[in-house]
Amino acid sequence: MALILIKFGTNNPAERFKLANASSDDDVVLIQNGIYWALNDAKQYTAARVYAIKEDFLARGYDEPDSKVPLINYAQFVELIEKHPKTIS
Amino acid sequence: MKKLLFVAYQSPVGSIWVNEAFRTAFGMYGEDLEPAVLLLDEACVALSKKTKPESLGLLPLSICHRYIKNYGTPVFAVKEDLEQFKVKELDENFSAKVLTKQDLKDFIHQFDYVIFM
Amino acid sequence: MMKITIQVMVPPYTYEDLDTAIKIAEAAIEKGHEVSLFLFADSVLCINKNVKPIRIDRNIPQKLKEMIAAGKLRVDICGICMDYRGVTGEMIVEGAKPSGLPELAQLIYSSDRFISLMA
């Protein structure tokens, strides 16, 4: 069980590695350009639960309904940090 | 004791991250921390006996060898990456252990912090 | 209350990482956590008090200085990374500390949470 941070889009090999090797009890947070993953159904690329930072998503020209994953704020991000002693980032 | 995995994935020639992954790993031994290094994707080229950043005037990888030996820092690479980047002969100074793609999920979840560079 | 350390590796302004780190830090501090920032590689440029962004842009060194002054944030800077980039001790904002890998190891060991924003 770990918190996984994704900051690059879908062409980045490290991010593809993290998502492909995530477990179903991991939580993934998409930050910065990582939000581009949120445009597709998370089940296609990872076993983990996926969230995206709302302000990073909206700043890139999308509307909330465009995200296929729940959008969270930084307070909710910190709750996920609190939840997970282990990180993959 | 916390287990740390430093992961470099960018080329060892032309970017600093393989060197920095090792340098940071070696810096952890003053505390009760157990570091390891994983060379993923293009970074696996660091393990080739013939890779020489110093031929371009860049920092050599060989400066890591003595520390790997002294500290016993575990170094890992992935078989499929080594094949993809046609790494023929591994430099034995890294004493690298080769994982396969299917090992990776369990492998990365053994660590407290997996730190990508 | 948790002790949370955030590591950053890439330069400010070129990338969003310092902004992300500051927002995580603010949200964590708001919840009563103790936050440390470790500046590694090119991210050390963000602590130079001579940084002068255009007026409409955010002033990252100034922001960090204010957070340190408020007693909410600790900032450690990789000393070798400073040397490599010509950032001297006189250039850095008040309250930030040049340190090194022993301090990073100590932070990683003693923190309840450690997150790194990759390069």
Side-chain angles (χ1 to χ4, degrees):
Chain A
M1 195 176 107
L3 174 65
I4 301 176
L5 298 192
I6 300 293
K7 61 167 260 197
F8 291 115
T10 53
N11 292 327
N12 182 281
E15 307 300 38
R16 288 203 302 263
F17 172 92
K18 289 184 214 165
L19 289 162
N21 291 296
S23 304
S24 56
D25 55 1
D26 294 337
D27 286 310
V28 171
V29 178
L30 308 175
I31 62 173
Q32 304 179 5
N33 293 324
I35 65 92
Y36 293 116
W37 290 92
L39 299 173
N40 294 303
D41 188 355
K43 285 191 181 64
Q44 293 169 11
Y45 52 80
T46 189
R49 284 176 301 269
V50 181
Y51 306 87
I53 295 292
K54 186 173 171 178
E55 61 179 69
D56 277 330
F57 189 77
L58 300 182
R60 284 162 178 78
Y62 301 108
D63 298 314
E64 289 187 35
D66 296 328
S67 179
K68 298 285 203 314
V69 307
L71 298 173
I72 61 171
N73 59 27
Y74 280 93
Q76 292 167 304
F77 187 2
V78 172
E79 284 169 21
L80 291 171
I81 293 171
E82 290 166 354
K83 176 181 167 189
H84 291 281
K86 290 185 172 191
T87 53
I88 298 171
S89 62
Chain B
M1 195 266 291
K2 288 180 181 171
K3 290 183 72 174
L4 315 177
L5 180 66
F6 294 91
V7 186
Y9 75 99
Q10 299 184 55
S11 172
V13 182
S15 69
I16 195 65
W17 303 111
V18 170
N19 297 72
E20 290 291 52
F22 279 110
R23 186 171 75 86
T24 314
F26 302 145
M28 297 296 110
Y29 287 105
E31 300 285 339
D32 192 12
L33 299 169
E34 192 181 294
V37 174
L38 169 63
L39 300 176
L40 205 62
D41 207 73
E42 288 180 4
C44 77
V45 168
L47 300 176
S48 168
K49 208 163 191 169
K50 292 174 74 178
T51 295
K52 296 269 183 280
E54 60 270 35
S55 69
L56 302 175
L58 310 178
L59 210 55
L61 292 159
S62 56
I63 53 172
C64 302
H65 295 159
R66 182 164 53 95
Y67 295 101
I68 291 171
K69 191 162 181 277
N70 290 352
Y71 291 128
T73 310
V75 180
F76 298 91
V78 182
K79 180 172 162 279
E80 287 81 354
D81 290 338
L82 294 168
E83 287 167 1
Q84 185 189 345
F85 291 98
K86 306 201 187 307
V87 176
K88 294 176 203 85
E89 201 182 345
L90 295 188
D91 186 331
E92 63 274 11
N93 288 302
F94 288 100
S95 306
K97 298 173 187 68
V98 179
L99 306 167
T100 65
K101 241 179 176 158
Q102 62 182 24
D103 302 329
L104 294 171
K105 191 175 204 162
D106 289 339
F107 176 72
I108 60 168
H109 284 89
Q110 294 166 21
F111 296 89
D112 292 290
Y113 306 137
V114 179
I115 302 159
F116 278 73
M117 308 295 280
Chain C
M1 199 275 286
M2 284 181 180
K3 187 171 167 182
I4 300 172
T5 296
I6 306 167
Q7 177 175 246
V8 184
M9 308 200 195
V10 300
Y13 299 105
T14 310
Y15 296 105
E16 194 189 334
D17 294 49
L18 263 307
D19 306 277
T20 298
I22 287 168
K23 284 169 189 165
I24 298 169
E26 285 179 326
I29 290 162
E30 180 73 21
K31 297 191 78 180
H33 300 306
E34 191 181 294
V35 182
S36 289
L37 185 61
F38 190 85
L39 301 174
F40 190 70
D42 292 319
S43 75
V44 304
L45 298 174
C46 80
I47 207 69
N48 186 339
K49 63 186 174 195
N50 299 318
V51 165
K52 201 176 166 196
I54 62 167
R55 200 176 301 168
I56 60 158
D57 206 352
R58 71 268 190 232
N59 190 321
I60 294 173
Q62 181 62 28
K63 176 76 184 174
L64 292 172
K65 184 183 168 182
E66 287 163 12
M67 291 172 77
I68 298 167
K72 304 291 189 187
L73 182 71
R74 167 179 158 171
V75 177
D76 282 275
I77 319 162
C78 164
I80 288 182
C81 307
M82 285 172 63
D83 291 344
Y84 257 81
R85 290 156 184 86
V87 178
T88 64
E90 298 83 65
M91 291 181 191
I92 64 177
V93 303
E94 209 173 302
K97 285 200 312 288
S99 62
L101 291 176
E103 286 80 3
L104 177 63
Q106 201 271 327
L107 278 172
I108 290 177
Y109 181 72
S110 64
S111 293
D112 301 298
R113 299 291 183 267
F114 177 77
I115 57 176
S116 180
L117 298 174
M118 66 188 283

